[in-house]
Amino acid sequence: MRIVHEFLRRPTAVFGLAVVLLVLIGALAAPLVAPYAPDEQLFDGLTLEGAPIGPNGAFLLGTDTLGRDLLTRLLFGARTSLIIGVVANGTAVAIGLGVGMLAGYLRGPAGNALMRFTDLMMAFPALLLAIVLAALFHPSLWIVAMVIAMVNWVQVARIVYTETRGLVERDFILAERSLGAGHGRIVFRHILPHLMPTAIVWGTLGIATTVLLEATLSFLGVGVQPPEPSWGNIIFESQSFFTSAPWLVVFPGIAILLTALSFNLVGDALRDILDPTQRGRM
Amino acid sequence: MIELILRRLGGALMILFGVAAITFVLLYALPADPAVQLAGRSATAQTVANIRHELGLDQPLIVQFVHYLGNLVQGDLGRSYTQKTEVMTLILARLPATLILMVSGILVEVAIGLTLGTIAALSRGGAVDRLVMTASFVGVSAPQFVVALLLLYVFAATLQWFPMSGFGTVSHVVLPALTLGVLGAGWYARMVRSAMIDVLNQDYIRTARAKGVAERTVVLRHAVPNALLPIVAMIGIDIGQFMGGVVVVEAVYGWPGIGQLAWQAIQQVDIPIIMGVTLISSLAIVVGNLIADLVAPLIDPRIRAR
Amino acid sequence: MTDASGDFGRTDAPVLSVDGLTVDALTERGAKRVLDAVSFDLGAGETLCLAGESGSGKSVTSLSVMRLLPRASLRIVSGSIRLGDRDLTGLSERTMREVRGRDVAMIFQEPMTSLNPVMTVGKQLLEPILIHQGGDEASARAQALRMLEAVQITEPVRRLGQYPHELSGGMRQRVMIAMALSCRPKVLIADEPTTALDVTVQAQILKLMRELKGEFGTSIILITHDMGVVAEMADRVAVMKDGRLVEIGSAVDVFERPAQSYTRELIAAVPRIGARAGTDGPPVVTAAAKAAPAAEKSLEPVLAVQNLTVAYGARAGLFGRKAGQTAVDGVSFELRAGRTLGLVGESGSGKSTTGKAVLGLIPYQGYVAIGGEELMDFSVKAMRPVRRLAQMIFQDPYASLDSRMTVGAAIAEPMAIHGIGDRVDRADRVAELLRRVGLTPDVASRYPHEFSGGQRQRICIARALSLKPKLIVADESVAALDVSVRAKVLDLMLELQETEGLAYLFISHDMAVIERMSHDVAVMNGGRIVEYGSRRAVFENSEQDYTRRLIAAVPIPDPTRRRLAMAG
Amino acid sequence: MTHWLQRTALAGLITLTPLAALAEETPAKGANIVVTYKDDIATLDPAIGYDWQNWSMIKSLFSRLMEYTPGTADLVPSLAESFEITSDGLAYTFKLRKGVKFSNGREVVASDVKYSIERAVNPKTQGPGAGFFGAIVGFDDLSGGKAEGLSGIETPDDHTVVFKLGRPDATFLHVLAINFASIVPKEVVEAEGQDFGKKPVGSGAFVLKDWVIGQKLVFEKNPNFYVADTPKIDGFTVEVGQEPLVALLRLQQGEVDIAGDGIPPSKFLEIKNGPDAADIIVDGEQLQTGYVAINTRVKPLDDVKVRQALNMAVNKERITRIVNGRATPANQPLPPLMPGYDKDFKGYAYDIDKAKALLAEAGYPDGFETALYASSTDPNPRIAQALQQDFAAIGVKAEIKALANANVIAAGGTEGEAPMIWSGGMAWIADFPDPSNFYGPILGCAGAVQGGWNWAWYCNKDLDARAIEADSMSDPARKDERAKLWGSVFTDLMADAPWIPVFNERRVVAKSKRMGGPGNIYIDPTRVINYDAVYVKQ
């Protein structure tokens, strides 16, 4: 209850949540509210010379270079972004949580080995690695999600590691050990619950990063493949049109920006509320 | 101190070896046979087989890797499949451009981030703080390729304040550096803000105030140097982020750096170049962290003592 | 309250006069009063002690005088603070800046964090001199050097170029004092200046302050929770409670004829060193034990430690194995049922490390046997039977409870771990234990943050008792508690010892607490036990200079017995 | 022995008479022009370079025995002064022009010709063009590593080269005009090793002066070039890393003379409809066909009825609209400019009902699922999506796999992997203007192998036999007969429908207003851009 109350006191967080909900509803209800089918190449969606049509009554946000309705594609693109955002980031957080917690708890050679591995992953330029991976495996929605997860877990692992290290040093863990609690009990009953705020915060903030990364991969043509609409590949398909048909870049760009921003705002608010180290500050 | 440096260097070498091994395994698991593409459409099966043999692609993976490592130790990154030029030559030729871009990008983000973060920390909880923090999130959430395209459209194509693309003069670097810097500036502003808030809550700040030190001096002399430490560490990590952003920014602005090289190589499955660029990028990240480690003691005498 | 302020006759006009000072905290639910019409005067050359427990408003008072309250959360709503003929509450920030450091200076509790870690001592010392007296850097430097000499720092010239982390805690506090006095302020506010220091260092700093007060003609407001320090230093005492000033008067008056019951309790709760002189063992608190003095139950020690050594930081480096620091070096002692061994020493002496090692919480070398069983390896399984015999209570009760677990679950946790009883059994036992430590069973469903410090420590004790152990290692278990609470927790521990036959390994830096609690005492210094014997022998006929110094340095809450003054 | 002798003292052709219509234009002296490309120039080694950017640069850096008249597909001797072919078509004797020098100053002699061709064939060179020389005696030994040279090339004296062929090859003169047959100086190649491609030395119209990797290449006129008045500019600079769109904006501002990557789709209409269109745009046909290869060895595409149905399902008009009309719908593999193109052939008309009927006949009334591979560079994913929608109209659900070119090529060359491939981006542009170049590797049995380019995996022994027959007609007198025979090969194979010929893309180049000369030197059918012929108007 406290969380809800504190959350609602923040206008930016409420704005973020509203946009997130809007995107979510748009994505879920896309088949119902979208005026056209997502990959329907409408005959009157292109000029006779083959140019896309700007926003008008029939096509509220205009059409793309194949004569498809942009609004429809943006709505269906929201599905892609959210699915990837949730799946990829969820996987990343789960892996990061597991690796970070294990490394932080075990310490010693095993913990060190795990952290050296995350260091190694840190030394990969993330986007470059994602591009290489995505180009290697024929990209599809799920592959892209997994590629992003492979890249993004590292950050979570490092944070969880640091936090776990701190927790292990704390007196209550020492107290548990002095009581004779087993590793499983300490890890799952005592450490994990304390990491949940971090997991929740990253589960939210990370979605923003993920949405951006997916868009970037798709923009480079190694992300979600057409005709599956994704905000990134809509821009990819029409980037050379940005002087003659700016709506093809501007609208998906706004969609990406707003969605990422909203997840960031919500995540930031959650961090302020949930993270006990931040709580005392204000 | 020297031991610390040596230990870091050893770690860096291990990391580079790991990067090389992982990249190698990944790239050679590739479905595309570069020989087929190189041989071109008129090639006979014999030609393809010859090319495979000449590239050593018909040898077992481990042999290829050992061979690769052997060359690597001598600074030889191999030859590009498509350009037939030494990868080292290609990278060295393009590295200055990328370095210029990265340094200007880092300057942009640190300058913006440091200023905004400090301002936000000082007006903490106030309207300015909230404005800066929201703005920083907008910066962080803005897709680089959209920012790049929009900056290009507004400032180069329409207003013509800056050239559309190319390399050479200061005005060429402005838009790419801004694009790279905007994203980072958001992170820095947030980092600086929380570091500053941390520092401003420290006892020694209260001590300084109790001495009658003016607020400006408190912030600039007492708070900023202490808040700088996490920022320096972040610049090291940042280089990794930058290496990714560089691909997008160089692609949009036609900047002749290694991001462009990597992107072309990925499309042409030019494995030696991809390997080379990945290794160089990792090297940059490792060196960045190393520099951050070495700069930290200059700022904080406590680390010097250790 | 008004009658409390002005009834003490003085000849000259006060240097500082606080009148009706009221401060509100701005919270989400509106303003909350944290300081309520506080009034007092500070005479020239006088030391006024603001005494009181945590949350009483001492620090808010001092920060108000400096006008250093955090602007966003605390605000002076009414009252005046007159320094000479100026009301500080009405000054602009700019004018106030000139007052700070020149007219009113301040030193803080934590000398570790009160100095800027990235600036040299010299630079920090120069700052107030240059700000308030101007002049060139050379003359300021000369003055800074004189100040370092005045605070009796060794090698003052070298110190100027050093960074704070290169100095010990005591030296840092000396630097702070030098810095505060460098402009010869009229008033020095010292907020718990010695709390973070070891007792011997505390004695030196207090002595220094007394000397400098005369030399510099400065009036001092000394804020402390330690009635011993109050008695050592105060000309007058102001006692604060819940934001109000409840009593003010001369030190002798307040200590000998406290007007308020609160003050009386406060003074009574302070353990006085030497209070147990001439007796063996701690006082008997339960009726049953009084009736039948405990016989020696067994000769078999509950805990036997021989040649215990703990080395930290040892690891295999790139350049060969690095020797770590030895935190505990060849320590031996034993402890029998129903008895308490007090382990005392200054910070870094290795006493806490010893406590953790005997419970196998950190790796060690040497022989440790609990209940006659030597600990052979540290696997969770092998240790489990031993864990039932030995429990630990930590310094910070809040930190040693899992904040995400109800206290009921926390107390039941050991039983769950050891598979004792079912749900219902455990719930019954939790209720019983809560009652046993003086809490009501219905609190079992609450979370740790809903309790006060003393209550939390009771919960920790209940948890430690749940397995009916034979040995409890109490590591600074009352150090974080206010004196009045501390006394009650100590009494509870004594009571439990009598009824349960517990053996305590009681670790503390506080000689008075050790004296009260222990049958035997081991004094540690530099990782070794330098003196070991019955409490009576150690406290009354110590063979070691070190021990004698420790005892002598403890301030006694009796203004008539100021040893420091005599020493000075 | 009767020799068919062709003496070609075609001085007129070599001096490149400007076309009559442009006679009044005079090339400006001392001009330098700027050309832009997005991608790096891969290599300028003539034995290796094989993409459309470096193709025309290599052409201008090196000389070959044979050459084409600028802007046409007409073969003329170049480094060769004259040549003779025996009547059986198995021996070619070339007389070299005397006094031609490499840019390092050494004279070009017969042994250089032999060395250059052998180098192109030698597996150590890793050259993609080795296969073109398959007719020369000794080819198998050299490419198989059993010999160091080609026994079929003889150099009786410094200015005579004789080629002995193992079989008649009507395209052999074309082969000697492609880049792989460029003459290189042995000593320089051996000195530079693999870096020869970055520091090329030839005897062509231009010399490479400077190469700043990732930024620009500077070419300078070869003052000693043996063709009079060629080139017409003093030099050209190729700037790389330039986005097509940016390049075009710079071209409009006069900073760039030729936008090498052409006009991006987004800008095309704006420029086409703009006032400068006539001065800026050069639009012409090229020897290109964009097609969908239908894998004849993958179910259910192995059924000819299915393939025919797919052919009928594609709305080629709409697809040409997507590329803004920069293409003409195609109905057969050969492009219209190619000898043998059958104007009267109708192919498969767009007819959804008939397509559905055929599918039903084949046993797929409800269609089926399959995959369509395509290059991931614009506009190919868009075209693939248009095709996908067309197939969907007859119930065929094609999943699009848009991949990097290399991956598509690899999939196409793996048996049973790619059901359908849209060729765009990797499209077949002829190496030389002869129909045989359009058959062997991409439709003949020889190409239907692992790593081959016959992505339809189509192998028709009868047609292969007819192809060999046609290629044996090396007597120029039978030119028309040969073209007709070739034409029938291509129209007949359409009965099996291994391809869906979609369109013949026209090449549209943007040049600055100051550039002169006829359009076809900017879209030269054998050179892409003919740097030897372009000039700046005075």
Side-chain angles (χ1 to χ4, degrees), chain A residues 39-43 46-51 65-66 68 73 135 138-139 225-227 236-237 240-242 244, chain D residues 245 264-267 269 272-273 318 321-322 324 373 376 378 381-382 385-386 388-389 400-403 407:
Chain A
D39 47 7
E40 189 182 356
Q41 297 162 20
L42 299 148
F43 186 76
L46 286 178
T47 65
L48 286 177
E49 287 175 310
T65 54
L66 280 173
R68 294 170 297 196
R73 289 186 70 72
H138 298 186
Q225 289 304 298
F236 165 68
E237 282 187 346
S240 66
F241 285 78
F242 84 90
S244 60
Chain D
L245 187 65
S266 57
K267 255 325 201 192
L269 293 175
K272 198 183 104 183
N273 300 330
R318 189 186 142 81
R321 202 164 103 184
I322 288 167
N324 308 107
Y373 284 62
S376 61
D378 189 69
R382 290 193 285 135
Q385 289 177 72
Q388 182 188 42
Q389 172 166 282
I400 291 180
K401 290 181 187 272
L403 310 170
N407 291 320

Side-chain angles (χ1 to χ4, degrees), chain D residues 132-150:
Chain D
F132 286 111
F133 304 98
I136 300 175
V137 169
F139 173 85
D140 291 341
D141 288 345
L142 177 54
S143 71
K146 288 196 273 292
E148 281 302 305
L150 286 168

Side-chain angles (χ1 to χ4, degrees), chain C residues 429-440:
Chain C
R429 175 90 176 125
V430 167
E432 181 197 330
L433 286 166
L434 281 170
R435 254 184 252 112
R436 191 77 193 75
V437 297
L439 296 169
T440 51

Side-chain angles (χ1 to χ4, degrees), chain A residues 123 127 136 220 264 268 281, chain B residues 30 124 141 190 198 244 263 282:
Chain A
L127 181 62
L136 284 188
L220 291 171
N264 270 329
D268 188 51
R281 286 195 181 169
Chain B
L30 254 164
R124 180 176 166 210
S141 311
R190 303 191 71 79
D198 247 6
W263 181 231
S282 301

Side-chain angles (χ1 to χ4, degrees), chain A residues 12 120 123-125 127-128 131-133 135-136 212 215-216 219-220 235 242 253 256-257 260-261 264-265 268 281-282, chain B residues 15 18-19 22 26 30-31 124 137-138 140-143 145-146 149 153 190 198 243-244 248 263 266 281-282 285:
Chain A
T12 52
L120 178 63
F124 271 106
L127 181 62
L128 196 59
I131 293 170
V132 172
L133 283 175
L136 284 188
L212 283 178
T216 306
F219 168 74
L220 291 171
I235 298 180
F242 84 90
I256 298 167
L257 173 69
L261 176 64
N264 270 329
L265 291 175
D268 188 51
R281 286 195 181 169
M282 183 66 212
Chain B
I15 284 181
V19 169
I22 292 178
L26 275 179
L30 254 164
R124 180 176 166 210
F137 260 144
V138 174
V140 163
S141 311
F145 53 96
V146 175
L149 289 175
Y153 182 59
R190 303 191 71 79
D198 247 6
M243 294 311 293
V248 174
W263 181 231
I266 286 168
S281 308
S282 301
I285 294 170

